[in-house]
């Protein structure tokens, strides 16, 4: 039984690379899961790095930059936490702490990260440490900061909120979880007075930020299958909130949108799953599915608009909307730019040699890319 448990855990770690077929547990190679070679095409968009900053060392799914106003906040697994000028990349402040498992979350006043021991550490607007508080267990999802709290989602399926000023535990909500869970790009969403959290077993929760009371729960997809691996159906990426619509996607599940103004009624659902999550431009949803086919869906009814399979099995990151394009990173350090209109390849830029696991983040200046070797780049686009 112990041997079986170790095997299952190893398999779940392989899932973070996207596909079971890429995992070393399987001895026979299946060509269907080979990454597609880079496609030759005539570029129709000019892209270039506007600045590059070293923010420490390492990378991973628990790390993604965050933009608040004209400041970029970022952290690296080595323990570095930084605030940079969005336009120039100039360092506004930088601090070092213990090695990290997740970061950053910020509202511009309080910035939070989590150490590998599960310690939540908060800094003020000048980078001075405010407090450090222990979470219930390990954390590999970036903290969410806003509404006077610092919230974390722990690996034992708890959502805990700490007072942003003092670090005192304000509330704790726990849900039963499956035997296995996915480790990939996940984030919580902050709304006025609310916190929106994706959970294992394909569920979304909307919590009252002040009390932790569950305002609403909705099912994106139900777990199914004969084994623990087959039943993994975690909500991935960041819940998308567009007016009254709340949308999410699950691994081995569905893409589903709810109308919050109608009590969270499910408006539509498509049998499209993802390992990394969604983004939107106000009218359309964009995602890379489990085979890295990039798709666009109409926000109103989920109608498929286009799909692009040129990046098949390239272990794509969470995408970001930038100008006329959709940007997405891959396992070889390339950032690809696709037309939001029809999905055609427009440009690509190599920013490193390793996989881009952090979610790409859109900003008024371009798209922010955090690499696996501790670098942060702002890539600008010009049509």
């Amino acid at each position: 039984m112990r041997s079986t448990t170790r095997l299952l855990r190893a398999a779940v770690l392989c899932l973070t690379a996207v596909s079971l077929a890429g995992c070393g547990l399987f001895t026979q190679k299946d060509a269907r899961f080979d990454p597609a070679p880079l496609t030759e095409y005539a570029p129709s968009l000019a892209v270039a790095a506007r600045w590059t900053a070293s923010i420490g060392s390492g990378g991973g799914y628990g790390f993604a930059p965050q933009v608040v106003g004209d400041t970029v906040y970022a952290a690296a697994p080595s323990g570095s936490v930084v605030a940079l000028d969005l336009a120039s990349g100039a360092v506004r402040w930088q601090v070092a702490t213990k090695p990290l498992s997740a970061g950053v979350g910020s509202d511009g006043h309080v910035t939070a990260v989590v150490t590998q021991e599960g310690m939540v550490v908060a800094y003020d607007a000048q980078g001075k440490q405010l407090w450090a508080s222990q979470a219930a267990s390990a954390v590999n999802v970036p903290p969410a900061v806003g509404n006077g709290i610092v919230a974390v989602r722990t690996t034992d399926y708890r959502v805990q909120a700490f007072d942003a000023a003092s670090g005192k535990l304000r509330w704790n909500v726990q849900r039963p979880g499956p035997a296995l869970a996915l480790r990939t790009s996940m984030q919580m969403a902050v709304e006025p007075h609310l916190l929106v959290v994706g959970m294992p077993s394909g569920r979304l929760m909307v919590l009252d930020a002040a009390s932790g009371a569950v305002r609403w729960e909705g099912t994106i997809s139900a777990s199914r299958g004969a084994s623990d691996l087959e039943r993994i159906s975690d909500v991935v990426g960041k819940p998308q909130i567009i007016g009254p619509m709340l949308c999410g996607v699950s691994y081995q599940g569905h893409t589903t949108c709810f109308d919050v103004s109608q009590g969270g009624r499910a408006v539509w659902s498509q049998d499209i799953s993802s390992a990394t999550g969604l983004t939107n431009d106000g009218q359309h949803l964009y995602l890379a599915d489990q085979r890295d086919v990039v798709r666009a869906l109409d926000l109103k009814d989920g109608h498929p608009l286009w799909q692009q399979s040129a990046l098949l099995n390239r272990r794509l990151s969470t995408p970001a909307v930038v100008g006329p394009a959709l940007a997405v990173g891959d396992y070889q350090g390339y950032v690809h730019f696709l037309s939001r209109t029809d999905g055609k390849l427009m440009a690509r830029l190599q920013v490193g040699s390793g996989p881009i696991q952090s979610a790409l983040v859109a900003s008024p200046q371009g798209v922010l890319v955090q690499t696996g070797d501790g670098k942060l780049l702002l890539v600008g686009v010009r049509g």
Side-chain angles (χ1 to χ4, degrees):
M1 189 59 136
R2 291 177 181 173
S3 176
T4 300
T5 301
R6 287 196 296 268
L7 180 64
L8 288 172
R9 287 176 178 168
V12 173
L13 290 176
C14 290
L15 281 172
T16 64
V18 178
S19 172
L20 285 173
C23 178
L25 292 171
F26 297 85
T27 56
Q28 289 187 339
K29 187 176 180 180
D30 190 334
R32 294 176 301 168
F33 297 95
D34 287 346
L38 294 176
T39 303
E40 294 298 325
Y41 58 90
S44 56
L45 188 71
V47 300
R50 292 185 173 176
W51 54 257
T52 302
S54 177
I55 59 170
S57 61
Y61 293 112
F63 298 86
Q66 185 169 349
V67 179
V68 182
D70 61 356
T71 304
V72 182
Y73 300 90
S78 60
S80 176
V81 187
V82 300
L84 308 171
D85 179 79
L86 175 60
S88 67
V91 176
R92 292 186 170 170
W93 56 260
Q94 184 167 10
V95 297
T97 186
K98 293 181 178 180
L100 302 174
S101 63
V104 298
S106 183
D107 63 358
H109 305 289
V110 175
T111 299
V113 293
V114 188
T115 70
Q116 292 179 358
E117 292 78 26
M119 186 68 69
V120 185
V121 186
Y123 301 91
D124 67 13
Q126 287 73 47
K128 180 181 177 181
Q129 183 174 322
L130 289 171
W131 49 264
S133 297
Q134 184 67 49
S137 62
V139 175
N140 51 39
V141 175
V145 181
N147 296 311
I149 63 170
V150 174
V152 296
R153 203 201 90 174
T154 64
T155 53
D156 63 351
Y157 313 125
R158 297 175 192 262
V159 182
Q160 294 186 295
F162 300 88
D163 185 270
S166 67
K168 181 180 179 181
L169 181 65
R170 292 258 295 264
W171 51 260
N172 177 91
V173 174
Q174 187 175 23
R175 286 290 184 268
L180 297 176
L182 197 64
R183 185 169 183 179
T184 184
S185 181
M186 300 179 186
Q187 291 178 279
M188 296 175 282
V190 176
E191 283 290 296
H193 311 297
L194 300 173
L195 179 69
V196 185
V197 186
M199 298 294 285
S201 301
R203 298 187 67 80
L204 274 176
M205 285 199 309
V206 179
L207 304 171
D208 182 272
S211 66
V214 179
R215 294 279 190 87
W216 174 84
E217 281 189 81
T219 300
I220 291 177
S221 59
S223 298
R224 60 182 185 270
S227 69
D228 288 335
L229 285 175
E230 292 173 332
R231 286 192 293 270
I232 294 175
S233 186
D234 296 11
V235 176
V236 298
K238 185 176 184 178
Q240 299 294 297
I241 303 166
I242 317 103
M245 300 286 277
L246 170 60
C247 303
V249 63
S250 62
Y251 179 79
Q252 298 187 144
H254 300 90
T255 303
T256 304
C257 283
F258 306 89
D259 189 329
V260 179
S261 67
Q262 297 184 19
R265 177 182 65 88
V267 178
W268 59 263
S269 184
Q270 287 279 7
D271 189 15
I272 300 172
S273 60
S274 174
T276 52
L278 298 163
T279 192
N280 79 89
D281 62 6
Q283 295 182 313
H284 309 127
L285 293 175
Y286 304 95
L287 74 159
D289 70 16
Q290 281 182 222
R291 293 290 307 278
D292 295 316
V293 176
V294 184
R295 299 173 182 266
L297 305 174
D298 188 277
L299 178 61
K300 292 180 181 179
D301 59 11
H303 178 74
L305 301 172
W306 54 258
Q307 65 181 52
Q308 173 59 267
S309 58
L311 305 176
L312 193 70
N313 301 324
R314 292 190 66 85
R315 302 176 195 169
L316 301 182
S317 70
T318 307
V321 170
V322 53
L326 182 72
V328 64
D330 77 6
Y331 79 110
Q332 290 183 317
Y334 285 95
V335 180
H336 304 268
F337 296 83
L338 289 69
S339 168
R340 286 161 53 194
T341 302
D342 56 17
K344 289 183 179 178
L345 299 173
M346 302 179 75
R348 67 170 169 251
L349 178 71
Q350 189 167 25
V351 299
S353 58
I356 298 172
Q357 296 178 325
S358 297
L360 301 193
V361 176
S363 82
Q365 303 284 344
V367 62
L368 288 156
V369 184
Q370 184 167 341
T371 67
D373 58 359
K375 292 181 180 178
L376 183 65
L377 300 91
L378 176 69
V379 180
V381 303
R382 182 167 50 86

